[in-house]
Structures are given as C-alpha cells and as structure tokens.
Amino acid sequence: MRDMEFMQFHPTVLYIAGGSRSLITEAIRGEGGRLVDKDGIRFMSAYDPRWSSPPRRREPGHRQPDGEDAAPCVYLDVTHLDATFVKQRFPGIAAACQQFGIDITKDRIPVRPGAHYMIGGVKVDLIGRTSIPRLWAAGEVTSSGTARGQSSRFQ
C-alpha cells in the first residue's frame, strides 16, 4: 500500500446544510458554468489568472471581499446559459437540485469542495503488477505513481 493519507477533493459538491452531498460534474463548468461568491462575483482569477475553475488538490479558502470569514460555500452559476440546453445536458443535476427547491436555470447552485476518493492504494507498476506474484490490480484501488512521474517498478 502507498499514499493512503492522500485524498482527492472534488471542487463542486452540492452544499445544502443537512442535505446529501451530490457531486456536481466538472462538465457543467466546461459548458460555461461560473464559480461566484455570495455577491455573484467571479473570484477564482484572484488566486491565479489561469484558474477559471478550482484545482482538485486544495480548497481556495475564498474570503468575502468585505473581510468576513470564509463563506461555508460558493456558487456555481449557469443562469446565463440557455435553460433548455442546461436541462437537457444536465438532467441529473437539475433533478438533484430541484429536490431542494433549486431551479438551476434560475438559481445559483451552492457548492463547496468535498472528499472525492483516496489517491493511494495498492502499489503497482505501469501495467498493474503488484509485488505479490500473480496478483494484479487496476482502477481506483491502485497507486501507480504515474501522477508523480515515477516510472520504475516498485519504488
């Protein structure tokens, strides 16, 4: 096993106090969704001009412009997009939000980062071999080291 202490965070998880924590697909930002603060201001470029969306590895810790403590959530805004397109492209998200009275074509979606999955796992080489003879592993159970540029068999 390797790197079991690391977690990947999904940047946009539906945030409803006491509600379920549904992942809001990153594809919604790819289609033009915008992360905004409570005042509707896009803020990610304040951290780095290249960021149109938050990184998966850490929460930006956004503070409101008036100096308040970090807000419990930010918002994903798709209200500027064509309503028919949004409902057809993201019916699952629309339905999940509607359960809480949020119409994603008219209302901003409250989101915050959430633990997505563990990064570590069974140590494998680039073709899935483990250090145990005839035991192979694949998928999210594995830790190949490729994200860190490692290429030798069992480092």
Side-chain angles (χ1 to χ4, degrees):
M1 302 299 282
R2 164 171 68 197
D3 297 333
M4 296 304 291
E5 71 275 23
F6 296 109
M7 293 289 295
Q8 182 183 64
F9 284 82
H10 188 82
T12 51
V13 175
L14 180 61
Y15 178 71
I16 304 291
S20 65
R21 300 288 190 252
S22 301
L23 297 180
I24 304 296
T25 178
E26 293 178 77
I28 205 165
R29 290 192 329 257
E31 295 290 355
R34 302 173 180 160
L35 281 173
V36 299
D37 65 16
K38 67 178 179 128
D39 298 315
I41 298 170
R42 295 175 77 175
F43 61 88
M44 288 307 296
S45 63
Y47 298 98
D48 186 312
R50 297 169 294 180
W51 289 359
S52 60
S53 61
R56 299 184 92 167
R57 61 189 175 279
R58 68 184 179 97
E59 181 176 352
H62 177 62
R63 294 178 65 86
Q64 296 297 333
D66 58 8
E68 294 176 17
D69 287 336
C73 68
V74 294
Y75 299 88
L76 185 54
D77 187 1
V78 295
T79 60
H80 60 284
L81 301 175
D82 178 72
T84 302
F85 168 78
V86 169
K87 285 183 178 181
Q88 288 176 347
R89 177 75 171 93
F90 303 106
I93 293 170
C97 290
Q98 191 61 54
Q99 293 178 24
F100 299 101
I102 299 168
D103 178 344
I104 66 172
T105 65
K106 298 176 184 172
D107 306 313
R108 294 180 295 187
I109 306 166
V111 295
R112 67 183 300 167
H116 188 29
Y117 62 85
M118 296 181 73
I119 291 174
V122 177
K123 188 165 46 171
V124 296
D125 67 9
L126 294 178
I127 60 171
R129 288 181 294 209
T130 71
S131 60
I132 299 172
R134 299 189 342 241
L135 178 63
W136 295 64
E140 290 185 356
V141 72
T142 67
S143 177
S144 66
T146 57
R148 288 174 292 284
Q150 298 169 347
S151 59
S152 64
R153 183 149 185 227
F154 298 108
Q155 298 185 0

